[in-house]
Amino acid sequence: KRLQQPLAVEWYGGSSRRVKITAKTDFVPLDFVHASYVLEVDGDPVAFGDIEDFALEAGHSKVYSPDIPALLP
């Protein structure tokens, strides 16, 4: 199931609402990927959008700040 996953996504910086995306490929840049997201809380979508400037070289990471509303007080 995880053999062909070309990227990894993780929260970056605690409560800063940023994500770090890492290209897990060794040689192929991910310039062919269209990056979009849906954030769900208890199964209900609360935010969605596209990452317009998405471009990752093989083996590199980049931090993005998608439009994610503050969900916690």
Side-chain angles (χ1 to χ4, degrees):
K1 183 175 178 180
R2 293 180 179 232
L3 181 64
Q4 296 297 324
Q5 293 180 347
L7 54 88
V9 179
E10 59 187 301
W11 287 112
Y12 184 80
S15 63
S16 66
R17 297 191 311 262
R18 296 184 298 168
V19 293
K20 177 181 174 185
I21 302 177
T22 303
K24 296 181 359 181
T25 56
D26 291 326
F27 304 105
V28 179
L30 297 181
D31 55 358
F32 62 91
V33 173
H34 171 80
S36 61
Y37 64 92
V38 176
L39 178 64
E40 295 181 350
V41 175
D42 296 328
D44 297 321
V46 295
F48 59 91
D50 294 321
I51 299 176
E52 300 295 333
D53 60 345
F54 186 81
L56 280 177
E57 293 297 320
H60 287 86
S61 298
K62 195 170 181 182
V63 176
Y64 293 93
S65 298
D67 187 21
I68 298 175
L71 301 174
L72 301 174

